[in-house]
Amino acid sequence: MARSKRKSSFSLRQLLYLLLATLIVSLSVGGLLLSGYVVQLDQEIRTRFAGSRWALPAQVYAAAVDLYPGRQLEPAELRRELDRLGYRHSPALTGPGTYVAGEKRIEVAIRGFRFWDAEQPDLRLAVRFEDRRIAAIDDLEAGAPRDIVRLDPMLIGSIYPQSQAEDRVLVRLEDVPPLLREGLIAVEDRGFYEHFGISIRGIVRAALANLRAGRVVQGASTITQQLVKNFFLTSERDWARKGKEAIMALLLEAHYTKDEILEAYLNEIHLGQEGNRAVHGFGLGSRFYFNKPVDELRAHEIALLVGVVKGSSQYNPRRNPERSQARRDLVLKVFRDAGLIDQDQYLAAVAQPLGLAGGSGGSVARYPAYVDLVKRQLKGQYQDSDLTNEGLRIFTTLDPNAQEVLERDLASGIASLEKDRKLEDQTLQAAGVITSVDGGEVLAMVGGREFRYAGFNRAIDSRRSIGSLVKPFVFLTALSNPDRFNLHTLLEDEPIEVPLSNRKTWAPKNYDRKNHGPQPLYLALAHSYNIPTVRAGLEVGVENVLDTLRAAGYSGDAMPVPSVFLGAVDASPLEVAQMYGTLAANGYQTELSAIRSVTTKEGEPLNRYPIKVRQALPEAPTYLINWGLTQVIEQGTARRARAAVPAGGALAGKTGTTDDLRDSWFAGFGADRVAVVWMGRDDYKPMGFTGSSGALVLWTQIAKDLQLRGLDMLPPADIQDQLTDRFTGLKADEGCTSVVLLPYVRGHAPTAYAPCALAAERTPLDWLREIFE
Amino acid sequence: MNRAGKAKVIGAIGMILVLAGCASTTGTRESSMPDPRPPIGAVIPAPGTPPQPPGQVPVLPPPAMPMPIEPPEPQAPSFPRSASEISGQAVVSLMQSAAQSRAAGRHDLAASQLERAQRIEPRNYFVWSALAGVYLDQRQFDQAISVASKSNSLARGNVYVELENWKIISAARLAQGDSLGALQAQARIDEIQRQLGGG
């Protein structure tokens, strides 16, 4: 018995030992496992926090506006520029991003900016105006005049991946206004600077505060926990995840300072959504909602953003303005109670409206067609991941003013054309491009009437027949042979039949179905007569015309058939801008570009896109054709555009219409800008507008609003002007009544006097004299 | 076309033009060329110099010249000699910065400063000439030649700028191994220098 009793007690003790041993072993194993887990989390945190913490989309900037004495600019225009950049009109300069506007003087505190070539610090300037120009720029701090300054460039978009569209603009803690930093802590985590990552006191205090308010006004998670949650964890809510969050929060605090954690939080937090693009961090949030950098936020704006932290969808100020305002005012109360603002500031702030930037504001893809062009230009030079992850800064050539003119005039123009013709609403489409003549910069681009939405980019991807836009290149090919052609060369306008290779014949007709008798070349161009163009084309050969087109910038592969002479050539508006830009620059082609430079996110230069010039077309014939294109507007199919011609100048351009009125084009230029407009239907159905009645109407408004500068038409050295008798095309003098001053390639002007000329009587002698002169 | 045909054509055109004249086309507008007053910031060539009537050309250029530019008349040409004579202060300031950058070997910076000047005064041939010089420094010879030619085209006979441009073209061609082209450019240089010396 005793033995068995002993035995049984032994076995109990044994069991206890066994249990204890198991417990110890399992605890140690558990501890071992746990510590292994902690080490693993620690590794995860340190990997994630070291180096670059976020994939930073490339930031795309518009061209910076240069201000300099002599620049044609009115005070109202400068104010518009400043407003566009989110500068605030105020009674006194209070800091960067503010301005004081007087009638002939604007004081402005310009935000510093690191351009690729130089850093421009914050500046306080007085800009004085006289006669619609900048008369002087005074540096108010240095007390000295300045020759030239730049405004900070507008952020116009970012390049983020399609799948995971997280967008952000990084801020440094020292750039964040103290009220944002302290206010955020007051609202989200009052014990932030005391706790070790998790806060028992915080939980108690939040519970009390919520109890007092009768609803949830404070969360119990610390800022560190929230950061961990956003940074490392999925959104599921269970105890295991809570535990992991707590461990990671403690680890994060062990490795990093409070300021580092706060800075990461400021950049990580989700503040809004636009389509598939997620707005993260206060840097982008500030631009997204208020179109300005974070350091310029005022109390009520800071309170709004801090309020959004609680729930970016629930408190979305654009969708739920009332709820968002109530939240903002509550946050302002917390600011006041925490002593961050006084009672007066509180009352002033709650009296403010939400003050959101118009539209989607800020760095949102305002100009999708343009940003699309930028992306295409970057393709091949940068990997997609470089563009979406490295925070590159891309400085484009976009001119926001030109872009706004193009958008407004195209959209309202086609809407009113539809109304005038009683067409079904939204059936017409339009696209347009504006470029600089000598620099080859793409200043503006619209890819369709819904220009705010990325979609089919007609300015680049829609290749349509260019119709009569081809004619200048047919005649240019002819004029390159000055022994045979000049601007007054007569071209027959009688019915014509052209044999084709397939045994058929082609019988082109004029647009008005009439024949006008022999036409001087420049009038055939001005009135866009088809038959004289075909005659000239046949004489010079279709291959040569295609060569001219290619030299000008055409990249397609049109078949060498006679219908090329009338524009059976497909091109996009952008390509037409390149071709007409080559004409506008007197044959010196500048390759079109939308980018000036690319830098790293720190501002170190990576790549520059210098001007590339090539003499593509001979200068003298190009001058002649440009003169001819001024006559298209002066007396031809584009007379409507005379309304846009500046006093004492000239504009040049050409209408284009395709069969059955499917495409309506106008391409034209002044001294400094080329503008191309296309109008038509996406389904290729006829829409009832010619180049003159459609695209030209839109173009004329654009030319007026851009204030296109007139061409100076100074003839190059190998061009001579010659008074010419309109009837005979011979040399004229004061004896002739109907004359035209025509440019000729030097040495190829008519030497024989017309019968009307006074000099004609002495003809034999004159002829002799001229031969010897 | 035979003589009778030509006469018929001329007669027909005459009719058209008379009718066109009645319909008040712009005969007067044509006979007075567009006001050649250049836009603000553009280069203003000295009055009355280019182009010369062919009869007054003292020396004909060699026959194979790629750039048919008329040599100036022998007396001292009255063209602007430096950018500051025709440029606004912003452009002058940018050109000075560019010259400093160039001297410091910072070609990219110099080019970007000149491009900025070009955006302000797109047809300032001094700016284009300086840009051609930077391209030469960068050993981008095609660009140097193209840009110098563009400057020549805009200079409308300003021999001082043309001299610089031909020097750039000559050096670039030489560096490219185009010794004949370089010689032709040198001929232009000699020619212009003779003009200037003769003045």
Side-chain angles (χ1 to χ4, degrees):
Chain A
M1 278 283 287
R3 196 171 168 220
S4 74
K5 208 177 186 175
R6 232 178 3 249
K7 193 179 177 183
S8 86
S9 76
F10 174 76
S11 63
L12 193 69
R13 201 187 305 159
Q14 251 186 339
L15 195 69
L16 277 172
Y17 275 124
L18 203 68
L19 276 173
L20 200 63
T22 315
L23 192 69
I24 287 166
V25 168
S26 55
L27 267 180
S28 351
V29 169
L32 219 64
L33 282 176
L34 184 70
S35 47
Y37 182 57
V38 170
V39 167
Q40 184 198 324
L41 290 184
D42 191 58
Q43 187 63 39
E44 194 180 327
I45 282 173
R46 284 197 289 179
T47 314
R48 186 69 208 277
F49 241 68
S52 62
R53 289 165 199 172
W54 295 280
L56 290 176
Q59 296 177 355
V60 184
Y61 290 90
V65 171
D66 270 319
L67 301 179
Y68 50 89
R71 174 172 175 168
Q72 198 177 329
L73 194 76
E74 294 186 54
E77 292 173 303
L78 178 55
R79 285 191 61 172
R80 212 160 42 237
E81 289 291 350
L82 294 172
D83 291 342
R84 195 182 281 135
L85 290 171
Y87 279 58
R88 189 159 49 87
H89 184 215
S90 60
L93 295 185
T94 50
T98 55
Y99 71 92
V100 183
E103 201 177 313
K104 295 206 150 188
R105 179 186 155 98
I106 293 179
E107 286 185 13
V108 54
I110 294 182
R111 301 171 186 140
F113 191 85
R114 176 148 188 200
F115 293 93
W116 90 268
D117 55 344
E119 176 136 19
Q120 185 175 282
D122 291 350
L123 291 172
R124 291 158 67 91
L125 305 172
V127 183
R128 285 186 284 126
F129 296 86
E130 242 166 68
D131 300 331
R132 311 175 72 188
R133 286 177 189 286
I134 295 177
I137 299 174
D138 300 313
D139 187 323
L140 295 173
E141 271 153 42
R146 277 191 167 258
D147 290 334
I148 182 164
V149 290
R150 284 184 269 211
L151 297 180
D152 48 313
M154 183 165 79
L155 192 54
I156 58 165
S158 4
I159 299 177
Y160 44 83
Q162 283 310 303
S163 50
Q164 184 209 354
E166 231 178 66
D167 198 4
R168 58 168 54 73
V169 172
L170 285 191
V171 291
R172 291 176 306 178
L173 193 58
E174 59 261 38
D175 296 332
V176 169
L179 181 61
L180 172 53
R181 176 183 170 151
E182 288 157 22
L184 185 70
I185 290 170
V187 173
E188 290 296 324
D189 183 5
R190 283 173 67 182
F192 177 67
Y193 278 100
E194 283 89 47
H195 62 62
F196 297 99
I198 49 177
S199 163
I200 307 300
R201 273 172 60 195
I203 294 169
V204 173
R205 187 173 26 207
L208 285 176
N210 294 345
L211 214 62
R212 258 202 307 273
R215 62 206 148 102
V216 180
V217 292
Q218 280 185 27
S221 297
T222 63
I223 280 178
T224 318
Q225 281 170 292
Q226 291 184 46
L227 177 62
V228 165
K229 195 162 61 187
N230 280 300
F231 224 60
F232 302 101
L233 304 175
T234 55
S235 58
E236 65 208 63
R237 290 170 176 276
D238 57 40
W239 285 106
R241 209 209 64 155
K242 270 279 173 205
K244 187 177 175 188
E245 180 187 301
I247 295 169
M248 288 182 102
L250 290 168
L251 288 169
L252 202 60
E253 294 268 352
H255 284 300
Y256 299 98
T257 65
K258 289 285 183 186
D259 283 354
E260 283 173 307
I261 290 167
L262 185 60
E263 188 178 271
Y265 180 86
L266 287 165
N267 283 310
E268 172 57 31
I269 198 77
H270 182 258
L271 288 176
Q273 192 74 29
E274 184 199 41
N276 75 331
R277 171 175 182 256
V279 175
H280 283 261
F282 283 86
L284 183 58
S286 173
R287 292 191 173 273
F288 183 67
Y289 291 117
F290 300 111
N291 186 29
K292 57 182 168 187
V294 71
D295 56 348
E296 291 172 23
L297 292 174
R298 290 174 293 162
H300 65 281
E301 294 160 341
I302 289 171
L304 184 133
L305 291 180
V306 169
V308 170
V309 169
K310 191 170 158 61
S312 56
S313 162
Q314 197 183 355
Y315 298 105
N316 178 336
R318 292 206 172 91
R319 211 169 307 145
N320 305 316
E322 282 163 21
R323 201 186 296 162
S324 174
Q325 183 151 359
R327 172 76 189 156
R328 181 196 76 173
D329 294 349
L330 186 66
V331 168
L332 283 166
K333 201 183 274 176
V334 175
F335 285 3
R336 184 199 57 191
D337 295 347
L340 299 174
I341 55 174
D342 61 26
Q343 178 67 9
D344 289 348
Q345 288 170 317
Y346 166 73
L347 291 175
V350 292
Q352 293 282 344
L354 285 181
L356 299 172
S360 28
S363 68
V364 182
R366 275 197 209 184
Y367 310 122
Y370 195 92
V371 174
D372 178 36
L373 173 67
V374 170
K375 281 193 218 169
R376 291 186 202 213
Q377 197 182 330
L378 290 169
K379 230 180 173 73
Q381 294 167 41
Y382 293 91
Q383 309 236 326
D384 283 354
S385 59
D386 293 341
L387 296 175
T388 54
N389 297 355
E390 301 302 323
L392 300 182
R393 293 167 155 222
I394 296 157
F395 295 96
T396 73
T397 60
L398 177 93
D399 173 346
N401 184 51
Q403 178 69 27
E404 274 169 30
V405 165
L406 188 63
E407 289 175 353
R408 188 184 61 222
D409 291 348
L410 286 188
S412 67
I414 55 172
S416 73
L417 286 175
E418 280 173 347
K419 219 171 126 200
D420 290 350
R421 293 279 185 97
K422 300 196 167 52
L423 296 176
E424 201 183 319
D425 198 21
Q426 304 285 319
T427 49
L428 292 177
Q429 266 298 351
V433 177
I434 299 172
T435 63
S436 72
V437 167
D438 294 292
E441 299 192 320
V442 182
L443 305 174
M445 172 177 276
V446 168
R449 65 190 293 170
E450 271 112 25
F451 48 78
R452 289 277 174 264
Y453 297 96
F456 184 45
N457 190 347
R458 291 165 194 81
I460 305 178
D461 291 326
S462 177
R463 296 185 72 89
R464 309 272 297 231
S465 293
I466 63 173
S468 304
L469 293 189
V470 81
K471 285 177 183 159
F473 301 97
V474 178
F475 289 128
L476 176 58
T477 313
L479 290 167
S480 300
N481 178 4
D483 288 336
R484 166 66 186 97
F485 289 98
N486 60 46
L487 285 172
H488 208 285
T489 300
L490 294 177
L491 300 165
E492 282 204 52
D493 187 11
E494 298 297 327
I496 184 174
E497 291 204 339
V498 183
L500 299 177
S501 55
N502 56 5
R503 290 186 179 185
K504 290 185 178 161
T505 55
W506 179 53
K509 299 205 164 32
N510 287 325
Y511 177 72
D512 59 4
R513 308 269 148 188
K514 291 177 188 156
N515 294 102
H516 312 86
Q519 292 294 316
L521 187 151
Y522 79 97
L523 287 177
L525 176 65
H527 297 297
S528 202
Y529 293 143
N530 289 340
I531 296 173
T533 311
V534 171
R535 285 192 185 276
L538 288 171
E539 200 169 324
V540 298
V542 66
E543 289 288 2
N544 287 330
V545 170
L546 283 174
D547 282 349
T548 303
L549 283 167
R550 281 189 280 262
Y554 168 68
S555 69
D557 50 0
M559 296 288 289
V561 291
S563 54
V564 161
F565 304 139
L566 298 184
V569 172
D570 294 346
S572 67
L574 183 65
E575 199 161 298
V576 171
Q578 175 78 76
M579 291 157 67
Y580 273 72
T582 307
L583 294 179
N586 302 321
Y588 287 89
Q589 181 178 73
T590 310
E591 202 177 296
L592 289 183
S593 170
I595 306 172
R596 283 186 198 155
S597 59
V598 176
T599 73
T600 64
K601 63 176 182 291
E602 290 83 19
E604 294 303 320
L606 282 181
N607 230 330
R608 223 173 69 74
Y609 295 78
I611 291 183
K612 282 195 190 129
V613 178
R614 186 172 67 90
Q615 189 172 6
L617 299 173
E619 195 173 351
T622 304
Y623 178 87
L624 298 184
I625 217 63
N626 288 349
W627 186 90
L629 291 174
T630 64
Q631 299 309 301
V632 175
I633 289 174
E634 204 53 56
Q635 55 178 316
T637 55
R639 283 189 303 276
R640 183 192 299 273
R642 276 194 293 186
V645 176
L651 297 179
K654 186 72 194 79
T655 49
T657 310
T658 59
D659 286 351
D660 305 324
L661 311 183
R662 291 170 208 274
D663 301 279
S664 164
W665 289 92
F666 193 80
F669 53 87
D672 54 349
R673 303 275 183 267
V674 180
V676 175
V677 172
W678 168 86
M679 198 180 101
R681 290 173 58 123
D682 281 345
D683 57 12
Y684 283 83
K685 284 187 181 154
M687 39 112 204
F689 290 94
T690 61
S692 300
S693 63
L696 176 62
V697 179
L698 311 179
W699 189 91
T700 303
Q701 190 59 46
I702 292 164
K704 274 192 210 167
D705 291 344
L706 284 180
Q707 301 175 24
L708 277 196
R709 283 188 355 207
L711 295 163
D712 40 32
M713 296 307 284
L714 280 175
D718 46 355
I719 288 288
Q720 65 180 112
D721 285 336
Q722 168 76 67
L723 203 62
T724 307
D725 175 36
R726 283 167 174 267
F727 298 98
T728 58
L730 296 175
K731 195 170 174 178
D733 64 13
E734 56 273 28
C736 302
T737 49
S738 187
V739 294
V740 53
L741 187 68
L742 285 181
Y744 294 86
V745 174
R746 190 173 291 285
H748 293 84
T751 46
Y753 274 105
C756 57
L758 298 175
E761 294 161 3
R762 309 183 306 255
T763 293
L765 233 168
D766 268 6
W767 273 73
L768 267 177
R769 212 168 62 197
E770 275 175 26
I771 287 167
F772 287 106
E773 265 180 6
Chain B
M1 203 184 295
N2 60 30
R3 201 168 282 253
K6 202 176 253 173
K8 226 163 76 182
V9 165
I10 289 167
I13 290 190
M15 282 299 289
I16 288 165
L17 292 176
V18 166
L19 288 173
C22 293
S24 88
T25 47
T26 49
T28 49
R29 168 71 186 76
E30 283 168 343
S31 54
S32 65
M33 279 296 288
D35 183 357
R37 187 181 39 152
I40 297 310
V43 167
I44 304 162
T49 24
Q52 298 305 320
Q56 292 180 16
V57 175
V59 184
L60 285 171
M65 277 300 101
M67 294 290 301
I69 290 173
E70 293 298 330
E73 49 193 351
Q75 64 262 34
S78 58
F79 290 106
R81 287 169 186 243
S82 74
S84 59
E85 291 176 52
I86 59 159
S87 317
Q89 65 196 74
V91 166
V92 170
S93 162
L94 286 168
M95 288 188 74
Q96 282 165 353
S97 307
Q100 287 164 9
S101 308
R102 209 178 147 186
R106 301 186 63 189
H107 304 309
D108 259 1
L109 184 58
S112 84
Q113 286 159 334
L114 292 169
E115 286 177 11
R116 196 172 165 204
Q118 178 275 328
R119 287 193 287 274
I120 295 170
E121 295 179 8
R123 302 218 153 176
N124 188 323
Y125 45 78
F126 284 108
V127 174
W128 285 103
S129 183
L131 190 58
V134 174
Y135 276 125
L136 184 65
D137 291 350
Q138 292 176 313
R139 305 184 59 78
Q140 296 190 31
F141 302 120
D142 282 337
Q143 280 306 304
I145 292 167
S146 291
V147 172
S149 304
K150 182 173 173 103
S151 173
N152 271 343
S153 156
L154 295 170
R156 292 290 191 266
N158 182 327
V159 280
Y160 302 109
V161 175
E162 286 183 3
L163 182 62
E164 284 311 305
N165 289 333
W166 283 113
K167 284 179 182 168
I168 291 167
I169 292 170
S170 173
R173 285 180 180 166
L174 201 61
Q176 281 180 324
D178 174 10
S179 34
L180 181 64
L183 272 178
Q184 287 173 327
Q186 187 57 46
R188 301 303 301 251
I189 295 168
D190 296 344
E191 178 58 35
I192 294 171
Q193 272 169 343
R194 214 164 30 244
Q195 300 301 314
L196 293 175

